[in-house]
Amino acid sequence: MQNNGFLRTKEIIAITLILIGIKLSDSTPTLLAQKAQNGFWSIPILSFVCIFPGFLIMLYLLNKYQDKNVVELFEAINGKWIGKILGIVLFLCAFLSLTLDSRNYIEQIKLLYFPQSPTDMIYFIFIAVVFFGAKKGIEVIGYTCWIAIPFIKVSALCVLLLVMSEIVIQRIFPIFGAGLPIILSEGVKKASIFAELFFLLIAYQSAKKNTMFRKGITFGTVLAILEIILFYLVYASVFDYNSIEKIAFPYHDITQFISFGEFFTNIETIFMVFWLFAAFLKFIIFIYITTWIFAEIFAIRNFEPLLLPFSFLVIMIGLLPMNSATNELVLRETLLTVMSPIFILLPYILWLTAWGKGDLKQ
Amino acid sequence: MARFLKAGESQNQKNLNCHTSLQQNIQKMKQLFSYGLNKDFSMRTLKLRFNQKEACLFYYGSIVDGAIINLNIIKPLLENNGDSVGNIVSIENIEEVTDFETANENINSGKAILFVDGDKTAFAMDVADFQHRAVSKSENESTIKGPQDAFTESMNTNISLIRKQLHNSQLINEGIQIGERSKNEVNLIYIKDLVNNDILENVRSRLKEISTDSVRNIEVLEQYLEERPYSLVPTILYTEKPDKATSYLEDGFIVLLMDSSSACLVVPVTFWSFFHNPEDRYLRFFYANFTRALRLLCFYLTLMISASFVAIANFHSEMIPPDLLLAITASRERVPFPLIFEVLIMEIAFELIREAGLRIPNPLGPTIGIVGALILGQAAVEANIISPIIVIVVALSGLSSFALADLNINFTVRLMRFLFIIAAGVYGMLALTGAFLLFFMYTASIKSFGIPFFSPMSPHFISSEDTVFRKPIKKEIFRPSFLRPKDLQKKAKS
């Protein structure tokens, strides 16, 4: 494992921002808009409110049980076997989101930029890059994220600035979209759009100091949620009430909307480059931490050789859904709905158990 | 096995101590240096005046200063009185030698050895005068503002060039012998109260680990010292400018010098060392950062412009404004090759011009311009082998590569460029972004003597923040802390 604990707050923020923040530009908004229509931008707030306290409890527990990562924490609190089962649940969630998400990204790339290429070819190239990137280890991933993040964010900011003229702020009304009950229930059901945070906890010791990790991930999450809400608001006010649920990839659709002056009218490829950068990095992080969780459960110290079989599995399983609609609207939605209660309740259960055992007293 | 035994024997012979009898010593020396066969090996017997004993002086005539030997050794010994040899000869540096191995080394490094009858110790006196060229202007790293001196092939001159700029008694020049057959000396130069001992020890042990017959000069040493010989990314800085070397020394880096090389090596280095130019520090704040910005642009252009053009024109042509797209298409109408092939032809042609231009004898110099501009540019377009826009793109990428002055990084980007072009040709921006990301991550994973390649930017370290852009020089307070120097703060600010 190429990890000497060299990551600092900056790199952790960058990793979190890329892993979570990219949700503003994939098809998650579409998924949310299916039911909540133009009120969908408030769903992340609700999800965040549902999941963030639990997440803070996890950080608190990790701090209490010094020098442990999340899987070891499960085992320390619940004993070896239940801990391992919890670890496996976490791994399955991570792995399934990884595969379904990756298929989702492949479809975006394919539909928008390479409509004539076969999905498997793009999938293969994409995961090959991700695999070789992940091979470099968490530190290099962290460094790369930190250097890449200004470029990614500046490009996103450019999109915002250029789309300003298209925004009609009144389009966010009716403010609750399809209705308050739907928004509320969707907000809880889709709380797991922040599930990556829990997966990221596996890297708890990769930071130089534990406080750096806690600071980084908390700050990164707050930044990411602000960004997500801002962008969702923009989507809601650029596309109207009726069309919002028919838009497949709002970010890319917006980039096709905008132009730079009269001469450069189709500049989406520029933004696609930075988006691709972020996407590659997201999956590099994702596949790395998923493999790491797996390795921790089965106590495999040197887990980087496992990346290859896992990359292969991601391609194989990711190719199973027939088309992007099934993948996105059936499988991914189901997965998110299933995962939500797990991640909302898990921290409290852990906390109660730890409290019951009296571990928190020291 | 026999070979090893033999080697062992000759090793023993060399380690023999000097004899008391002068005749035996002379015989041994004659045998060791093949006297008679070896024309420039000189031997001179004389009778010392102060103790009336026979003595014999050995040296290589070709690498010593004859006048000094006559005036400062032979003449005093023949004429003056005193208690010992050391008192009589007027030579700066006298060393006592007791075995033939050391005597051998000393003679090879330009010293004269004096054996005295009845004495077991001989005297090695430094009279070296290796031929070298005078200090001249730096030719490969030219600057407009700033000192123009360049290192020469003489070690003493080089050290004096460094000491001229750095008046510090803590500046240490440490010699380490490497090589089995030809023992050459590598000089480690560092400032003792700044340099980090772990890094210094790492460099020392890496130097001592080199086991080979001979390391002739710094350029060969660079390759022996390198951690990743198959990597495209350099991890040792090579420079021929003493002022650049000195500025690194001041920050706590280590400089390696060798005789017979008109350059030095700086270790450990980061990516930014290759990106910077000494002139950046001599120019005023805005001017310097302007050239840095230009260089950054050149970095991008060299590495990416051909690849981006291939990707956009082949896969994302909707990005090009319609008028321009029509113009490009019209100009390509009669070209039979696919675009990527065209670009590769032109890139290779440019590399050819460049390499040929470097090797061509001076009087033929202008030919290369005619060949390059007229035949490859004009005629190739008229013959419909390539389209005019490719000439523009390739010329731009080629020209930009010259702005990256460091030879090593220059090669890195020039070679990577081809990989990127091929990646772009295969799958447009998807593959190009992926290739770039992998290259970037690979570079980020490299360490030079334990220092991450992109520090101090990422991982972050305290430094003078002289990375992509630099601050006004008065605000540079810290030395780069990734080197863990003994004194982090420059005394600029109280």
Side-chain angles (χ1 to χ4, degrees):
Chain A
M1 192 168 74
Q2 298 171 8
N3 171 28
N4 305 315
F6 246 122
L7 295 183
R8 287 153 208 249
T9 318
K10 283 178 177 176
E11 279 97 13
I12 303 281
I13 292 179
I15 288 179
T16 322
L17 269 180
I18 285 179
L19 193 60
I20 312 284
I22 197 175
K23 286 200 185 294
L24 64 88
S25 60
D26 60 11
S27 60
T28 314
T30 318
L31 190 70
L32 302 180
Q34 294 300 315
K35 294 220 170 87
Q37 293 189 321
N38 63 343
F40 78 96
W41 59 271
S42 52
I43 291 179
I45 307 178
L46 278 170
S47 309
F48 188 71
V49 169
C50 284
I51 219 158
F52 200 61
F55 177 68
L56 289 178
I57 288 176
M58 290 298 283
L59 283 181
Y60 166 77
L61 287 174
L62 280 167
N63 188 28
K64 273 284 169 191
Y65 292 78
Q66 285 285 327
D67 303 327
K68 292 204 167 36
N69 58 41
V70 67
V71 173
E72 289 166 338
L73 180 80
F74 290 160
E75 291 180 20
I77 294 180
N78 294 314
K80 199 172 169 197
W81 290 108
I82 301 180
K84 281 214 188 299
I85 290 169
L86 280 179
I88 290 172
V89 170
L90 186 75
F91 166 72
L92 283 178
C93 292
F95 188 71
L96 285 175
S97 349
L98 170 63
T99 43
L100 296 184
D101 273 13
S102 63
R103 173 63 187 268
N104 174 5
Y105 278 70
I106 300 305
E107 294 292 347
Q108 293 183 55
I109 297 170
K110 176 181 155 67
L111 288 174
L112 289 160
Y113 297 100
F114 300 95
Q116 284 158 4
S117 299
T119 309
D120 11 3
M121 193 63 207
I122 299 179
Y123 217 143
F124 182 77
I125 290 178
F126 189 84
I127 296 292
V129 171
V130 166
F131 162 68
F132 283 113
K135 268 294 238 191
K136 296 280 165 216
I138 188 79
E139 277 181 18
V140 174
I141 296 173
Y143 305 158
T144 316
C145 286
W146 173 247
I147 296 184
I149 198 104
F151 297 96
I152 295 169
K153 292 303 164 198
V154 165
S155 84
L157 191 70
C158 286
V159 172
L160 266 190
L161 290 177
L162 291 173
V163 83
M164 277 299 177
S165 56
E166 306 282 339
I167 293 179
V168 178
I169 204 74
Q170 285 80 358
R171 283 179 183 155
I172 61 166
F173 295 109
I175 197 129
F176 291 122
L180 188 58
I182 292 179
I183 297 238
L184 284 177
S185 70
E186 282 296 304
V188 180
K189 268 158 80 182
K190 298 292 182 306
S192 53
I193 52 174
F194 293 107
E196 276 99 340
L197 282 177
F198 289 85
F199 308 146
L200 206 52
L201 288 179
I202 192 78
Y204 189 64
Q205 281 138 37
S206 61
K208 205 172 174 210
K209 284 192 207 116
N210 290 346
T211 46
M212 284 179 171
F213 185 87
R214 288 202 298 275
K215 232 195 282 174
I217 200 164
T218 325
F219 190 65
T221 317
V222 173
L223 263 184
I225 176 84
L226 291 178
E227 252 183 354
I228 289 177
I229 295 166
L230 178 67
F231 265 85
Y232 284 14
L233 261 177
V234 170
Y235 300 149
S237 48
V238 169
F239 306 106
D240 206 0
Y241 185 81
N242 283 321
S243 56
I244 186 81
E245 56 178 285
K246 299 185 186 76
I247 303 285
F249 313 113
Y251 182 80
H252 300 285
D253 283 325
I254 274 191
T255 59
Q256 306 206 330
F257 248 84
I258 57 185
S259 59
F260 191 71
E262 293 290 306
F263 190 62
F264 296 99
T265 47
N266 287 83
I267 49 175
E268 68 268 13
T269 312
I270 297 175
F271 299 109
M272 173 238 190
V273 167
F274 293 101
W275 176 80
L276 259 179
F277 242 101
F280 277 130
L281 279 171
K282 177 194 160 112
F283 284 100
I284 286 174
I285 302 166
F286 212 160
I287 209 164
Y288 192 85
I289 55 180
T290 308
T291 317
W292 197 348
I293 293 173
F294 180 81
E296 279 297 332
I297 298 169
F298 298 103
I300 302 165
R301 282 288 142 247
N302 178 19
F303 67 84
E304 274 161 14
L306 280 177
L307 286 168
L308 184 63
F310 269 99
S311 311
F312 186 69
L313 267 182
V314 167
I315 301 182
M316 288 300 122
I317 299 178
L319 281 172
L320 284 181
M322 290 296 283
N323 53 42
S324 58
T326 329
N327 179 61
E328 179 64 23
L329 298 178
V330 180
L331 296 175
R332 189 152 169 260
E333 201 197 344
T334 318
L335 179 69
L336 286 175
T337 318
V338 170
M339 267 163 41
S340 294
I342 301 178
F343 288 108
I344 294 176
L345 294 176
L346 184 70
Y348 298 99
I349 296 171
L350 285 178
W351 183 54
L352 282 175
T353 323
W355 182 70
K357 279 169 69 188
D359 283 354
L360 303 181
K361 293 222 173 77
Q362 306 95 351
Chain B
M1 193 67 197
R3 257 181 70 198
F4 289 112
L5 277 179
K6 227 175 163 183
E9 268 171 35
S10 73
Q11 201 69 33
N12 281 339
Q13 263 188 344
K14 268 191 181 172
N15 277 336
L16 265 183
N17 283 338
C18 301
H19 306 286
T20 331
S21 136
L22 179 65
Q23 281 314 312
Q24 270 179 310
N25 281 335
I26 291 178
Q27 206 132 44
K28 185 73 199 167
M29 287 301 279
K30 278 184 172 172
Q31 181 208 333
L32 268 178
F33 288 91
S34 315
Y35 180 75
L37 186 67
N38 208 350
K39 274 182 73 182
D40 66 339
F41 183 68
S42 318
M43 175 186 121
R44 162 93 206 248
T45 45
L46 58 161
K47 194 166 188 181
L48 306 182
R49 178 164 172 193
F50 76 100
N51 58 5
Q52 298 299 317
K53 278 184 179 166
E54 291 286 325
C56 191
L57 194 64
F58 296 95
Y59 53 86
Y60 272 121
S62 49
I63 56 174
V64 298
D65 188 334
I68 292 185
I69 293 188
N70 277 333
L71 208 67
N72 299 349
I73 302 177
I74 297 180
K75 204 165 168 237
L77 284 174
L78 289 179
E79 294 175 357
N80 296 359
N81 268 324
D83 338 321
S84 66
V85 174
N87 279 347
I88 295 166
V89 295
S90 46
I91 289 282
E92 290 157 19
N93 208 347
I94 298 187
E95 207 182 308
E96 297 196 346
V97 176
T98 53
D99 62 286
F100 285 108
E101 162 98 50
T102 330
N104 192 344
E105 272 172 27
N106 278 325
I107 287 182
N108 278 323
S109 57
K111 290 179 180 166
I113 301 258
L114 182 76
F115 286 97
V116 182
D117 194 22
D119 202 343
K120 262 193 133 162
T121 52
F123 302 92
M125 292 167 282
D126 194 357
V127 287
D129 180 26
F130 287 96
Q131 295 306 310
H132 62 85
R133 128 185 107 95
V135 177
S136 58
K137 240 176 115 165
S138 159
E139 277 175 10
N140 300 326
E141 296 171 59
S142 49
T143 57
I144 296 172
K145 195 174 178 182
Q148 305 285 330
D149 294 343
F151 284 130
T152 71
E153 283 82 354
S154 152
M155 168 102 85
N156 284 335
T157 318
N158 291 351
I159 293 171
S160 110
L161 285 173
I162 289 179
R163 284 210 189 266
K164 184 167 82 176
Q165 306 199 31
L166 196 67
H167 300 235
N168 185 345
S169 62
Q170 294 290 327
L171 181 69
I172 305 291
N173 171 18
E174 183 184 320
I176 291 179
Q177 304 278 338
I178 52 171
E180 304 288 329
R181 284 182 184 276
S182 153
K183 284 212 186 288
N184 290 44
E185 196 173 55
V186 177
N187 284 39
L188 246 80
I189 310 207
Y190 53 86
I191 298 182
K192 202 170 120 201
D193 58 356
L194 280 184
V195 75
N196 177 274
N197 287 339
D198 295 339
I199 295 175
L200 188 63
E201 197 42 54
N202 183 353
V203 177
R204 257 189 221 133
S205 65
R206 288 260 284 273
L207 280 171
K208 283 174 186 157
E209 269 167 27
I210 296 173
S211 85
T212 179
D213 264 4
S214 79
V215 176
R216 261 185 304 121
N217 47 32
I218 218 91
E219 290 79 7
V220 180
L221 180 74
E222 186 182 359
Q223 295 175 53
Y224 274 110
L225 219 53
E226 189 96 50
E227 274 164 78
R228 302 158 184 255
Y230 295 107
S231 167
L232 274 185
V233 183
T235 52
I236 296 177
L237 183 74
Y238 174 88
T239 177
E240 56 169 15
K241 285 185 72 69
D243 53 322
K244 196 171 172 185
T246 314
S247 80
Y248 279 106
L249 281 173
E250 279 173 334
D251 278 346
F253 289 83
I254 300 166
V255 166
L256 302 177
L257 275 173
M258 268 180 95
D259 239 330
S260 81
S261 273
S262 62
C264 70
L265 300 181
V266 180
V267 290
V269 287
T270 60
F271 170 76
W272 314 110
S273 326
F274 295 101
F275 177 70
H276 295 167
N277 188 317
E279 204 168 11
D280 295 352
R281 301 198 62 79
Y282 302 138
L283 289 172
R284 297 183 58 235
F285 173 71
F286 275 114
Y287 311 164
N289 283 334
F290 173 67
T291 60
R292 288 264 176 96
L294 271 183
R295 206 168 310 131
L296 198 66
L297 178 71
C298 288
F299 201 86
Y300 168 76
L301 287 180
T302 316
L303 211 51
M304 285 290 184
I305 185 144
S306 309
S308 306
F309 181 72
V310 170
I312 290 172
N314 271 354
F315 292 88
H316 311 280
S317 49
E318 76 282 352
M319 208 188 146
I320 307 173
D323 299 351
L324 189 59
L325 186 65
L326 286 177
I328 294 174
T329 322
S331 73
R332 291 211 61 231
E333 206 173 18
R334 297 174 61 190
V335 179
F337 304 119
L339 185 71
I340 179 170
F341 196 63
E342 246 182 285
V343 172
L344 283 177
I345 289 179
M346 233 12 224
E347 288 280 7
I348 291 169
F350 191 88
E351 293 294 321
L352 284 181
I353 296 176
R354 186 179 181 141
E355 186 61 21
L358 210 60
R359 312 284 166 219
I360 204 163
N362 270 344
L364 299 174
T367 327
I368 210 83
I370 298 167
V371 171
L374 289 183
I375 300 181
L376 281 173
Q378 193 82 15
V381 169
E382 275 170 21
N384 289 329
I385 293 174
I386 49 163
S387 57
I389 188 145
I390 302 291
V391 180
I392 302 174
V393 169
V394 170
L396 205 56
S397 100
L399 191 64
S400 313
S401 74
F402 288 104
L404 304 166
D406 186 89
L407 187 70
N408 281 327
I409 205 76
N410 197 310
F411 271 113
T412 309
V413 290
R414 275 161 61 197
L415 287 170
M416 278 315 294
R417 189 173 53 171
F418 286 101
L419 285 184
F420 288 151
I421 293 173
I422 291 166
V426 172
Y427 242 92
M429 280 296 179
L430 173 70
L432 183 57
T433 317
F436 181 74
L437 181 72
L438 287 184
F439 172 62
F440 191 86
M441 290 190 81
Y442 170 72
T443 318
S445 74
I446 280 183
K447 286 191 169 135
S448 160
F449 292 82
I451 310 294
F453 208 55
F454 280 119
S455 51
M457 186 188 262
S458 183
H460 176 78
F461 284 100
I462 293 173
S463 68
S464 58
E465 281 167 40
D466 178 16
T467 49
V468 180
F469 296 109
R470 76 164 173 85
K471 297 206 288 189
I473 218 148
K474 281 185 198 165
K475 292 200 173 158
E476 291 188 352
I477 305 172
F478 296 107
R479 297 202 164 77
S481 70
F482 51 82
L483 290 173
R484 302 186 301 281
K486 285 174 190 154
D487 181 8
L488 186 60
Q489 190 166 341
K490 290 183 185 177
K491 295 285 186 264
K493 196 178 168 191
S494 53

